[in-house]
Amino acid sequence: MESQPMPVRRQAPTVARRRLAAEMLELRTTSGRSREAVSSDTGLSQGALHRIETAKTTPQAGTLNHLMDYYGVTDPEQRAAMQELRKRSKQLKWLELFEGGDLPDSYRTLASFEADAIRISDYESLFIPGLLQTRAYTETIIRTLLPEAPHEEIEQRLDIRMRRQETLTKPHPASLWAILDEAAMRRRVGGNQIYLDQLEHLLAAGQRPNITIQVIPFSTGAHLGMPGAFATLEFPEPDPPLVYMENAGGGLFVETDSEIAWYRNSFLRLAAEALSPQDTTTWIERAASAG
């Protein structure tokens, strides 16, 4: 594996880049021009246009001005707003420190979106949510799932996980609504002490005004969340929400309105079947006291 060339690392898309991409796509479709026509008229390749319109890359200032000229954008305020989006569309500064590692692009993307989110609704069936994990719990999971990973990669992933959690503690934090299957709560990841420390961490987190935690007990029986975990991330208007799902093969983002609506409704149904936040606190306290 070491003999293979390192893949080119793309910047993790941000909410600002998603909005800029949507604006650029809207300008082109409103003009009635195909990518082929725009490419022929402006000299910008169709591939470059596709990457800009799908938030895979951020255009240079000159390229953005050239395209706005071409599409007839003359309003100074609109032009300034789009250039501001371009400036803000770079990935997180702290995430840049971890460039060059073996982290999946989807994981970097999730970190950048979480930093911009105002609401996160996370259902987990087997793990404590990443934003609520202790460092020891996280390390155990990483070492179990990546038994051959070098020490440097494990430390990198740990540091990123801890930095991701800052979205819940910054001056204007995101709100987190976490629903956990009892299976995630019962599994003694890392042994008894790490398990108990994780429960205490959840109790402390649940006292914060921006965090809501609910447990779906085994007694509920079959429920809608059994197929797997998912999280919905919401952003300030006008940025659309998205859904993130993760499995052994990597992460997947869902952005279509109909699918997002399905996951939102599913989350609300899971919340209705779960213990209330107050009863969840009592449940966790009993689990911790039982050792």
Side-chain angles (χ1 to χ4, degrees):
M1 183 173 182
E2 287 78 4
S3 62
Q4 296 178 352
M6 287 295 293
V8 176
R9 180 68 63 190
R10 295 190 298 269
Q11 279 192 329
T14 60
V15 170
R17 195 194 303 176
R18 284 179 80 211
R19 190 191 306 176
L20 179 60
E23 294 280 355
M24 297 308 295
L25 179 60
E26 176 69 17
L27 286 174
R28 182 175 62 77
T29 54
T30 300
S31 74
R33 297 178 174 91
S34 66
R35 285 199 186 108
E36 183 180 9
V38 176
S39 176
S40 176
D41 291 342
T42 65
L44 194 64
S45 72
Q46 292 186 53
L49 281 169
H50 178 266
R51 290 191 294 274
I52 291 171
E53 293 177 354
T54 56
K56 290 182 172 61
T57 191
T58 301
Q60 297 293 324
T63 300
L64 181 55
N65 279 328
H66 184 40
L67 287 171
M68 287 192 290
D69 290 341
Y70 176 74
Y71 292 131
V73 180
T74 57
D75 182 358
E77 291 188 2
Q78 183 180 1
R79 292 178 72 96
M82 293 187 71
Q83 285 290 0
E84 180 61 25
L85 281 176
R86 187 194 68 81
K87 293 177 183 177
R88 289 173 44 214
S89 66
K90 305 297 183 182
Q91 72 182 57
L92 293 176
K93 291 298 182 183
W94 66 260
L95 194 54
E96 292 176 358
L97 299 175
F98 299 98
E99 286 299 319
D102 194 27
L103 293 171
D105 287 329
S106 59
Y107 190 81
R108 296 172 185 271
T109 299
L110 175 63
S112 69
F113 283 148
E114 284 176 338
D116 287 326
I118 58 173
R119 282 182 296 275
I120 301 172
S121 303
D122 190 352
Y123 164 72
E124 295 289 342
S125 55
L126 296 175
F127 300 94
I128 301 299
L131 294 178
L132 296 177
Q133 291 177 8
T134 64
R135 188 178 181 92
Y137 182 102
T138 299
E139 181 174 1
T140 303
I141 293 295
I142 293 173
R143 291 188 182 278
T144 302
L145 299 182
L146 301 172
E148 299 181 3
H151 175 75
E152 293 76 11
E153 181 182 342
I154 291 174
E155 287 300 311
Q156 182 186 69
R157 288 175 178 258
L158 278 169
D159 289 343
I160 289 180
R161 176 63 55 81
M162 297 302 106
R163 293 297 296 266
R164 281 175 52 199
Q165 294 181 1
E166 291 178 5
T167 193
L168 301 178
T169 58
K170 61 188 179 182
H172 299 286
S175 64
L176 172 66
W177 185 357
I179 301 177
L180 295 81
D181 189 279
E182 183 173 344
M185 301 291 292
R186 291 292 186 185
R187 193 173 302 277
R188 292 177 180 263
V189 170
N192 202 54
Q193 191 57 54
I194 290 177
Y195 168 75
L196 293 176
D197 289 346
Q198 180 63 69
L199 292 183
E200 292 297 332
H201 185 71
L202 288 175
L203 286 172
Q207 299 303 309
R208 283 147 57 183
N210 61 316
I211 297 177
T212 300
I213 301 173
Q214 292 182 261
V215 170
I216 300 179
F218 288 145
S219 59
T220 299
H223 61 77
L224 196 61
M226 293 176 69
F230 62 91
T232 302
L233 293 88
E234 299 178 60
F235 311 98
E237 294 290 344
D239 300 304
L242 55 79
V243 171
Y244 177 75
M245 294 176 289
E246 189 175 86
N247 55 38
L252 172 68
F253 289 94
V254 173
E255 300 184 59
T256 62
D257 291 343
S258 59
E259 289 178 299
I260 289 172
W262 188 89
Y263 281 104
R264 277 176 158 172
N265 290 335
S266 297
F267 190 87
L268 292 176
R269 289 173 63 182
L270 290 170
E273 294 188 79
L275 299 176
S276 69
Q278 294 78 13
D279 288 343
T280 292
T281 296
T282 301
W283 189 98
I284 298 174
E285 289 173 342
R286 287 174 178 168
S289 63

